[in-house]
Amino acid sequence: MKATAPPAKRRRGPRLAVLALVFCSLLVPIAFLFNRFPAVYVTDERPQQEIDLPSFDRVAFESGGSVNEDVFKKTSGSSSVSHHGIDTGPSIVRTEPKVIVLPPPKIELVLPPPKVEPKPEVKPVPVSVPVHHNKKINVDKIRPPRVQSADEVEKAKACQLEFGSYCLWSIEHKEVMIDTIVKRLKDQLFVARSYYPSIAKLKGKETLTRELKQNIQEHERVLSESIVDADLPSFIKTKVERMDQSIARAKSCTVDCNNVDRKLRQILHMTEDEAHFHMKQSAYLYNLGVHTMPKSHHCLNMRLTVEYFKSMPLDPNDSSAHTFNIPDNRHYVILSKNVLAASVVINSTVSSSEDTENIVFHVLTDAQNFYAMKHWFARNSYRESAVNVINYEQIIFENFPEFGTQQLYLPEEFRVFISSLERPTEKSRMEYLSVFSHSHFFLAEIFKDLKKVIVLDDDLVVQHDLSFLWNLDMGDKVHGAVRFCGLKLGQLRNLLGRTMYDQQSCAWMSGVNVIDLEKWRDHNVTENYLQLLRKFGNNGDEASLRSSALPISLLLFQHLLYPLDERLTLSGLGYDYGIKEKLVQSSASLHYNGNMKPWLELGIPDYRKYWKRFLTRDERFMDECNVSP
């Protein structure tokens, strides 16, 4: 008998490969739809870190920088801080942001509110600011609370958490459109789309199906070319009536309501996703505008640098170089990479001072802008004051090679959200907390011959004489600054780790800061900074290094801070549209902390005029680069 071969086994490999390809072909388009934007956009300008403090009760400020402690005794819930590259233990919840988040990436830390024990607060004596005020300033009058519904509060909070100050800017610049008919067309289109699949399955309804399909296509064609009612064709009323008739006939048919409801919800979700996508696009362009140097400013820097080497001028500092290291002079320090911003700070300070003979400004800049700064301040004079432009990176590299951070960092800004659990319908408050960068902690080493300096941010405008600050007796304190008691160290316990600190110590703001360099050296502030830097900024990347500026700044000065009167500096002009004009005019100095800097086109127009008033006009270079005053 002839043996028969057993049947060959079917090969399963090709079938599995085909199934895998089909599966991937379904997943790839979905993944593309959910990742249409890059996760990070890196710019040369300073970004803002994010701090989300949703469980803070609203803080009531009193004159002199004091704080009502009772509002902290009822805090409950959790808080979170958004940072990058900081590992603080198992309480960190890492989330991947779905939207454009300028560096640093978003990391949320769960922060329980601190326990406040009932004990009397020792209130330091505030510094009186020589400005004219007839009555006490109340922060509630500056930013009056607006009562909103719970849904509006949640939407506003979610928008600010995701997009930051873009939400405030978009509300302020919202264009009022006459689009009543356009909205009606969209509503008709959504209803027709939800009924169409069910009608198409019914027998004997072919005519109604074709009519619905034709009306849907005509509505889509009209809406693709129309945004407002003025864009609509003259015969639109006929199309609206025809669609109403088709929808009425569709509703009279017997269909499964669940299918219609499911389709309508699907269309609703797709529309919401599309609206959110367009909002991300707008927020991306907004962030691109506020974090990028304007083209005209870049042109100005390049022209000044070229002119510096073409003209080969004598060193403009020769005539006044002897005043740079005289301790008895009044020394102001400005860290800046922006020629016009530094010029406005100097010009406003000099214009507001009665005596400018002994004033010296030290402008610390990077190597890229050093020669542009030198040429600008050589061409422009500011009464009897002297301007010393310093290449910060070269100084650190040549004299302090042991310091690892040789790059110039400008003051770091952190976006803080404050809301109340007891009053959930009250509008959440957003603040920008600006603190010292890593470059500030080397001032005592750079200016070894000086005893005291006043540090001014480059987004500041001085409106009153600051000479009284030189007579300030800070006792054994090192640093004089305006406190920000909306944030206390106890609410950053997960961020600060196991370091010893006073939970009731308030945060503080940069802008106008008085530094006693002799006390700084006595307390070894720079050495203590380097120790904290090894603890908080040792992850090796720049994002982690910049994030560490907040805990380091707060910990270093928690017992060395002398509180200045809160009326010395009015903050928020870079994001808050609600500050009253009378308060702006009467403040000793204006701090444009936030995204909307006054030299940007996106700056708040009502506040930009105070900055432009002190802008030095150099016709030759500014006209060539189209720098608008």
Side-chain angles (χ1 to χ4, degrees), residues 480-484 507-509 512-513 562-566 568-569:
V482 176
R483 297 192 305 173
F484 176 69
W508 51 271
M509 297 280 287
V512 178
N513 303 87
Y562 186 90
L564 301 179
D565 196 300
E566 64 178 6
L568 175 64
T569 303

Side-chain angles (χ1 to χ4, degrees), residues 312-331:
M312 295 299 292
L314 296 175
D315 191 346
N317 294 332
D318 283 345
S319 59
S320 56
H322 66 282
T323 64
F324 293 161
N325 296 321
I326 299 178
D328 295 334
N329 286 342
R330 299 175 177 180
H331 297 270

Side-chain angles (χ1 to χ4, degrees), residues 14 63 95 110-111 123 159 164 185 276 329 370 441 456 490 555 586:
S63 64
T95 59
V110 180
L111 302 177
K123 298 183 179 180
C159 181
L185 290 173
H276 189 264
N329 286 342
F370 174 66
F441 295 101
L456 304 176
L555 290 174
S586 60

Side-chain angles (χ1 to χ4, degrees), residues 117-185:
E117 298 180 358
K119 61 180 182 179
E121 180 189 10
V122 179
K123 298 183 179 180
V125 179
V127 179
S128 58
V129 181
V131 294
H132 301 288
H133 291 286
N134 297 326
K135 56 183 178 180
K136 185 175 71 173
I137 295 178
N138 191 340
V139 174
D140 291 338
K141 294 181 180 179
I142 302 174
R143 303 178 180 90
R146 176 188 173 189
V147 179
Q148 295 178 312
S149 65
D151 292 339
E152 290 177 336
V153 171
E154 289 301 322
K155 288 181 180 180
K157 181 178 178 181
C159 181
Q160 291 191 17
L161 285 174
E162 187 173 4
F163 300 116
S165 59
Y166 163 75
C167 300
L168 303 176
W169 178 86
S170 61
I171 293 174
E172 200 68 23
H173 292 80
K174 185 176 181 180
E175 183 178 356
V176 179
M177 297 188 299
I178 303 176
D179 55 353
T180 305
I181 303 178
V182 171
K183 289 180 180 179
R184 185 179 178 186
L185 290 173

